[in-house]
Amino acid sequence: MYDFAYQKPASLADAVKALGAEDAKALAGGQTLIPVLKQRLNKPSVVVDLSRLGLSGISLTGETVTIGAMTTHATVANSADVKRAIPALAHLASLIGDEQVRHRGTIGGSLANNDPSADYPAAVLALGATIKTDRRTIAADDYFQGMFATALEPNEVITSVTFPIPAKAAYMKFNNPASRYAMVGVFVAKGPQGVRVAITGAGQGGVFRHAAYEAALAANWSADALNGITTPTDGLNSDIHASAEYRAHLIGVMAKRATAAAG
Amino acid sequence: MTAAFEGIGASVRRKEDLRFISGRGHYTDDINRPGQLHAYIRRSDRPHAKIVSIDTTAAAAAPGVAAVFTGADLAGIGGLPCGWQIHNKDGSPMAEPKHPVLAEGKVRHVGDPIAVVIAETKQQAKDAAELLDIVLEDLPSIASVTAAAAPGAPRVHDDVAGNVCYDWHIGDKAAVDAAFARAAKVVSLDLTNNRLIPNAMEPRAAVGDFDPTTDDYTLYTTSQNPHVIRLLMGAFVLGLPEHKLRVVAPDVGGGFGSKIYHYAEEAIVTWAAGRLKRPVKWTAERTESFMSDAHGRDHVSTAEMALDAEGHFLALRVKTLCNMGGYLSTFAPAVPTYLYATLLAGVYKTPAIYAEVKAMFTNTVPVDAYRGAGRPEAAFLIERLVDTICHDTGHDRVDIRRKNFIPVDAFPYQTPVALQYDSGDYFTTLDAALKAADWAGFPARRAAAKANGKLRGIGISTYLEACGIAPSKVVGSLGARAGLYEVANVRVHPTGSVSVFTGTHSHGQGHETTFAQLVSDQLGVPLSQVDVVHGDTAKIPFGMGTYGSRSLAVGGSAMVKAMDKIIAKGKKIAAHLMEASADDIEFKDGKFSVAGTDKVKTLGEIALTAYVPHNYPIETLEPGLDETAFYDPMNFTFPGGCHVCEVEIDQDTGVTSVVNFVAVDDVGRVINPMIVEGQVQGGVAQGIGQALLESAVYDEAGQLLSGSFMDYTMPRADDLPNITVGTESTLCTHNPLGAKGCGEVGAIGSPPAVMNAVVDALKDLGVRHVDMPASPQKIWAIIHSNRPRMAAE
Ligand SMILES: Cc1cc2nc3c(=O)[nH]c(=O)nc-3n(C[C@H](O)[C@H](O)[C@H](O)COP(=O)(O)OP(=O)(O)OC[C@H]3O[C@@H](n4cnc5c(N)ncnc54)[C@H](O)[C@@H]3O)c2cc1C
């Protein structure tokens, strides 16, 4: 780790201001940022801790679930409200990392980071969630812009994420055997915005929607509707754990299982 | 009320665990000496390169930096020694290129240390290391043994032609060729034993200390054998005499072999402490562990069995290429020879065996012994070959094993590959394991799985291994540059409590409990009155350390010998006190009595008399009750047994789950069944890890692709089934305890059992062999290529 200054502002405005400094970095749960700093892969001038901004918590309306950016994965996984309204989302959160990671890592941090193998991006994209920041709201379809790339401006802070409650939804994750991040994760949803299927872990550009599956499931919501629809391998990741072909295959298996699980 | 039984055979809770699980263990990284500096090592990120130049000016001038050293500064110092010399087929010695402490002229693997920066804080050392201006010029490189052996392959060492460290053989080639010529059937199998990274929980660390008032050096290090490090580093690297060098290996958090060897960092911190007259500390970061701890396995072999028409094994022919890495680690040459090829008889009476082993240098981290060391490679080869024979010929997997087992009445049994087995009963362990695993009921479980769309398979391995490598005379004739005895000092204190000093080392095995039980049992002293001391050359007379499951069989035997001396002396003292002849004194349960009388003296009374010799046979007997024994075994011990594994494969994803695992092992005398079970459980976990999950992956050039836990799949609790452990022991015939060893059986017996189960699960697809690890991707590809249309369905 290189030396850096540390600030823990008490207001969102102060945080945004502090993040305006050159090479400033926001700190949420630290589950990505701290390992990156320890490996000296990043050299921030100042680390701005977001934990005093009151950004954690879960609130419900009849149509939506809103989760504060600093809400931990464990809180989402164990929330009775989330389990009732969008059980697939609670299930997804319960699959992230391990117990320790889930008690530190946050939804805001995960989305800001947009790791191509992260789980939350699949839920956000498939459910058509809206990301609220200190200055605007961003639709999921506009938010994810490639691996580790998002629509966020350098000093922009995510404050919350609002998920429309779907009629049906499920997430199926195939773990990378070593890291247990998603090697392929498929989130299927039938919600106010129609049928949406998002794939994480597999694409070189991060999370993406699967148009062919969406069309098939919109016509017939059943696992069988996906039979015979193959996923092209271009643009899919290939590494020591999974070739692009294997990933393409797993997308099909996980999508069918998710559809079946969604009922 | 009688106290709970805590002697031999009792599952006493581990004395050391309270310290470990409450975070009060005292590890090398917990040691901080006054005025201590911190070392950071700049390592090669290239697999093979010429060092064009190193400019240390900026680094040396950085804040807090005390010194920067490169290979040039250490030029007067010896290279890291190799402790075992193998001879080639033609009798010439193996190639033994220098293994410099810091790279000289070239780097030969990713992780090869180039320079060390020593500063007031680790942070400063790291900052300064970034300022080192190192110019490297890439050289062609190789990572696999097959690439290293290819004609025209780039050379890892300029003076080692063909990258061959040695080309060695064992057995009777003519007899084997003759048997193959008349065989009814020959079955051949090509197989790979995957390369593993040990990943002990505690990374390696070392603290060097120097006392300028006495010129004494102390090295605190994460070692499995502090005396061996003192000898190797003192005599061969730094030229320090033993009386001026103390090596302490305090609590050590797992070794699995990787902490046997003498590593560069130990020499660096010790040498630098003397140079700078200040203590110097180094602790590996996990990334460094991946690229600097010796790796394990990495064999490519062809195995062929000649059979008669009934399925009797006539002869075995094996050809193995093994990977030594970029340099020879301390015991590397012995592993694929005397710990592997000599084990190729396994549990079978195969009359003729011939094995050729070629050890190759490559641009990878040095490879050395890792839990099982050579024996897992042998067991995997034999047991996969036996199942492949059944696949090719239709023989039953159990019947063919029984047919070829060494019979119970054939011991001592001389194998065609040097070893003589003293005892064993492979039928009993097989039967017990089959029963515990409900082998007979498997077809129904397979059918049930099939109905759920799953492929279920069952596999066995009937394996054998050799522990407590010995005797010194024999290993010396085979090339060992060390003896392989063990040392125990048993000190009965004046009030009757006991300290036992052992040359073995505990790094998770529970010696503080097992050895205390042994002493408690033999001397009749309560467990709470016995302390086991290890890991400090200043306290223990000598010792060879812990590896090869030798601690109880060799170290425990030394303790028994020392206790025999204690008892013999105690009898003389008791005879004096009770006015009897020493021959009439009996010792039992901590009491000396005169046979046929009610005269009794406790061990405590005898000890007090020995240290306060007012009424004492001082003319004929020295005071004190403190005895040392060196024990050099007459032979190896030969644990073995049967492992049964049942797996289920998800055809859609290729995921293999172990649904049942049974291990029935013959480990000889068991002191603490709970600790034995724990050792077997841990070993099986590592074996399942090797079979299904773990693999050190290099690209062709030698970049380590699995260089962190993001890519190296360690087995985790939820990867493992409940493991049923049983023991069916025959006793070792040549050591006083009858103990054989239990530390490695799990890792040796399990991989072939798992892989035999995997292949069995896939048998309807015509699959004959699968190499480890059976990763989801690999299994899916096999299923997919055999059922090309399945994917789309
Ligand atoms: C062992 C381990 C296993 C893991 N496994 C998984 C897994 O299976 N699946 C998975 O999805 N993830 C996994 N993770 C990642 C984990 O979910 C992280 O918590 C997450 O990626 C980052 O969240 P964080 O709160 O820790 O953010 P931090 O690490 O604190 O920050 C991450 C990045 O986001 C920025 N940031 C944080 N919060 C905000 C905000 N509110 N607004 C703007 N920018 C912000 C930071 O500046 C930083 O660049 C794992 C992590 C570890 C250590």
Side-chain angles (χ1 to χ4, degrees), chain B residues 617-640:
Chain B
I618 202 80
E619 297 79 15
T620 55
L621 208 58
E622 292 173 17
L625 201 53
D626 184 334
E627 297 288 349
T628 297
F630 282 60
Y631 174 76
D632 201 295
M634 279 166 339
N635 193 358
F636 287 82
T637 66
F638 298 97

CSV table of all heavy atoms in Angstrom, one decimal, chain B residues 617-640:
chain,number,residue,atom,x,y,z
B,617,PRO,N,23.6,-44.5,45.2
B,617,PRO,CA,24.8,-45.3,44.9
B,617,PRO,C,25.8,-44.5,44.1
B,617,PRO,O,26.1,-44.8,42.9
B,617,PRO,CB,24.2,-46.4,44.1
B,617,PRO,CG,23.0,-45.9,43.4
B,617,PRO,CD,22.5,-44.8,44.4
B,618,ILE,N,26.3,-43.4,44.7
B,618,ILE,CA,27.1,-42.4,43.9
B,618,ILE,C,28.4,-43.0,43.3
B,618,ILE,O,28.9,-42.5,42.4
B,618,ILE,CB,27.4,-41.2,44.9
B,618,ILE,CG1,27.7,-40.0,44.0
B,618,ILE,CG2,28.5,-41.5,45.9
B,618,ILE,CD1,26.5,-39.3,43.5
B,619,GLU,N,28.9,-44.1,43.9
B,619,GLU,CA,30.1,-44.7,43.4
B,619,GLU,C,29.9,-45.3,42.0
B,619,GLU,O,30.8,-45.3,41.2
B,619,GLU,CB,30.7,-45.8,44.3
B,619,GLU,CG,31.1,-45.4,45.7
B,619,GLU,CD,29.9,-45.2,46.6
B,619,GLU,OE1,28.8,-45.7,46.3
B,619,GLU,OE2,30.0,-44.5,47.6
B,620,THR,N,28.7,-45.8,41.8
B,620,THR,CA,28.5,-46.5,40.5
B,620,THR,C,27.5,-45.8,39.6
B,620,THR,O,27.3,-46.2,38.4
B,620,THR,CB,27.9,-47.9,40.8
B,620,THR,OG1,26.7,-47.7,41.6
B,620,THR,CG2,28.9,-48.8,41.5
B,621,LEU,N,26.9,-44.8,40.1
B,621,LEU,CA,25.8,-44.1,39.3
B,621,LEU,C,25.9,-42.6,39.4
B,621,LEU,O,26.1,-42.1,40.5
B,621,LEU,CB,24.4,-44.6,39.8
B,621,LEU,CG,23.3,-44.6,38.8
B,621,LEU,CD1,23.5,-45.6,37.7
B,621,LEU,CD2,22.0,-45.1,39.6
B,622,GLU,N,25.8,-42.0,38.2
B,622,GLU,CA,25.8,-40.5,38.2
B,622,GLU,C,24.5,-40.0,38.7
B,622,GLU,O,23.5,-40.7,38.5
B,622,GLU,CB,26.0,-39.9,36.8
B,622,GLU,CG,27.3,-40.2,36.2
B,622,GLU,CD,27.3,-39.7,34.7
B,622,GLU,OE1,26.4,-39.0,34.3
B,622,GLU,OE2,28.2,-40.2,34.0
B,623,PRO,N,24.4,-38.8,39.4
B,623,PRO,CA,23.1,-38.3,39.7
B,623,PRO,C,22.4,-37.9,38.5
B,623,PRO,O,22.9,-37.9,37.4
B,623,PRO,CB,23.5,-37.0,40.6
B,623,PRO,CG,25.0,-37.1,40.8
B,623,PRO,CD,25.6,-38.0,39.8
B,624,GLY,N,21.1,-37.4,38.7
B,624,GLY,CA,20.3,-36.9,37.6
B,624,GLY,C,19.5,-38.0,36.9
B,624,GLY,O,19.8,-39.1,37.0
B,625,LEU,N,18.4,-37.5,36.3
B,625,LEU,CA,17.6,-38.4,35.5
B,625,LEU,C,17.2,-37.8,34.2
B,625,LEU,O,16.2,-37.2,34.0
B,625,LEU,CB,16.3,-38.8,36.4
B,625,LEU,CG,15.6,-40.1,36.0
B,625,LEU,CD1,16.5,-41.3,36.0
B,625,LEU,CD2,14.5,-40.3,37.0
B,626,ASP,N,18.1,-37.9,33.3
B,626,ASP,CA,18.0,-37.1,32.0
B,626,ASP,C,18.8,-38.0,31.0
B,626,ASP,O,20.0,-38.2,31.1
B,626,ASP,CB,18.8,-35.8,32.3
B,626,ASP,CG,18.7,-34.8,31.1
B,626,ASP,OD1,18.5,-35.3,30.0
B,626,ASP,OD2,18.8,-33.6,31.4
B,627,GLU,N,18.0,-38.5,30.0
B,627,GLU,CA,18.6,-39.4,29.1
B,627,GLU,C,18.3,-39.0,27.6
B,627,GLU,O,17.3,-38.5,27.3
B,627,GLU,CB,18.1,-40.8,29.3
B,627,GLU,CG,18.5,-41.4,30.7
B,627,GLU,CD,20.0,-41.7,30.8
B,627,GLU,OE1,20.7,-41.8,29.8
B,627,GLU,OE2,20.4,-42.0,32.0
B,628,THR,N,19.3,-39.3,26.8
B,628,THR,CA,19.1,-38.9,25.4
B,628,THR,C,19.3,-40.2,24.6
B,628,THR,O,20.2,-41.1,24.9
B,628,THR,CB,20.2,-37.9,25.0
B,628,THR,OG1,20.0,-36.7,25.7
B,628,THR,CG2,20.2,-37.6,23.5
B,629,ALA,N,18.6,-40.3,23.5
B,629,ALA,CA,18.7,-41.5,22.6
B,629,ALA,C,18.7,-41.0,21.1
B,629,ALA,O,17.9,-40.1,20.8
B,629,ALA,CB,17.7,-42.5,22.8
B,630,PHE,N,19.6,-41.5,20.3
B,630,PHE,CA,19.5,-41.3,18.9
B,630,PHE,C,19.0,-42.7,18.3
B,630,PHE,O,19.5,-43.7,18.7
B,630,PHE,CB,21.0,-41.1,18.3
B,630,PHE,CG,21.5,-39.7,18.5
B,630,PHE,CD1,21.6,-39.2,19.8
B,630,PHE,CD2,21.9,-38.9,17.4
B,630,PHE,CE1,22.1,-37.9,20.0
B,630,PHE,CE2,22.4,-37.7,17.6
B,630,PHE,CZ,22.5,-37.1,18.9
B,631,TYR,N,18.0,-42.6,17.5
B,631,TYR,CA,17.4,-43.8,17.0
B,631,TYR,C,17.5,-43.8,15.5
B,631,TYR,O,17.0,-43.0,14.8
B,631,TYR,CB,16.0,-44.0,17.5
B,631,TYR,CG,15.2,-45.1,16.8
B,631,TYR,CD1,15.5,-46.4,17.3
B,631,TYR,CD2,14.3,-45.0,15.8
B,631,TYR,CE1,14.8,-47.5,16.7
B,631,TYR,CE2,13.7,-46.0,15.2
B,631,TYR,CZ,13.9,-47.3,15.7
B,631,TYR,OH,13.3,-48.4,15.1
B,632,ASP,N,18.2,-44.8,15.0
B,632,ASP,CA,18.3,-45.0,13.5
B,632,ASP,C,17.5,-46.2,13.1
B,632,ASP,O,17.9,-47.3,13.4
B,632,ASP,CB,19.8,-45.1,13.1
B,632,ASP,CG,20.0,-44.8,11.7
B,632,ASP,OD1,19.5,-45.5,10.8
B,632,ASP,OD2,20.7,-43.8,11.4
B,633,PRO,N,16.4,-46.0,12.4
B,633,PRO,CA,15.5,-47.2,12.2
B,633,PRO,C,16.2,-48.2,11.2
B,633,PRO,O,17.2,-47.9,10.5
B,633,PRO,CB,14.3,-46.6,11.4
B,633,PRO,CG,14.4,-45.1,11.6
B,633,PRO,CD,15.9,-44.8,11.9
B,634,MET,N,15.7,-49.4,11.3
B,634,MET,CA,16.3,-50.5,10.4
B,634,MET,C,15.7,-50.5,9.0
B,634,MET,O,16.2,-51.1,8.1
B,634,MET,CB,16.1,-51.8,11.1
B,634,MET,CG,17.2,-52.0,12.2
B,634,MET,SD,17.0,-53.3,13.3
B,634,MET,CE,15.3,-53.8,13.4
B,635,ASN,N,14.6,-49.8,8.9
B,635,ASN,CA,13.9,-49.9,7.6
B,635,ASN,C,12.9,-48.7,7.6
B,635,ASN,O,12.6,-48.1,8.6
B,635,ASN,CB,13.2,-51.2,7.5
B,635,ASN,CG,12.7,-51.5,6.1
B,635,ASN,OD1,12.8,-50.7,5.2
B,635,ASN,ND2,12.1,-52.7,5.9
B,636,PHE,N,12.3,-48.5,6.4
B,636,PHE,CA,11.1,-47.7,6.3
B,636,PHE,C,10.0,-48.4,7.0
B,636,PHE,O,10.1,-49.6,7.3
B,636,PHE,CB,10.7,-47.6,4.8
B,636,PHE,CG,11.5,-46.8,3.9
B,636,PHE,CD1,12.6,-47.4,3.3
B,636,PHE,CD2,11.1,-45.6,3.5
B,636,PHE,CE1,13.4,-46.6,2.4
B,636,PHE,CE2,11.8,-44.8,2.6
B,636,PHE,CZ,13.0,-45.4,2.0
B,637,THR,N,8.9,-47.6,7.2
B,637,THR,CA,7.7,-48.3,7.6
B,637,THR,C,6.7,-48.2,6.4
B,637,THR,O,7.0,-47.4,5.5
B,637,THR,CB,7.0,-47.6,8.8
B,637,THR,OG1,6.6,-46.3,8.3
B,637,THR,CG2,7.9,-47.4,10.0
B,638,PHE,N,5.7,-49.1,6.4
B,638,PHE,CA,4.9,-49.2,5.1
B,638,PHE,C,3.4,-49.2,5.4
B,638,PHE,O,2.7,-50.2,5.4
B,638,PHE,CB,5.3,-50.5,4.4
B,638,PHE,CG,6.7,-50.5,3.9
B,638,PHE,CD1,7.7,-51.2,4.7
B,638,PHE,CD2,7.1,-49.9,2.8
B,638,PHE,CE1,9.0,-51.2,4.3
B,638,PHE,CE2,8.4,-49.8,2.4
B,638,PHE,CZ,9.4,-50.5,3.1
B,639,PRO,N,2.9,-47.9,5.7
B,639,PRO,CA,1.5,-47.8,5.8
B,639,PRO,C,0.8,-48.1,4.5
B,639,PRO,O,1.4,-48.0,3.4
B,639,PRO,CB,1.3,-46.3,6.2
B,639,PRO,CG,2.6,-45.8,6.5
B,639,PRO,CD,3.6,-46.7,5.8
B,640,GLY,N,-0.4,-48.4,4.5
B,640,GLY,CA,-1.2,-48.7,3.3
B,640,GLY,C,-2.6,-48.8,3.6
B,640,GLY,O,-3.0,-48.5,4.8
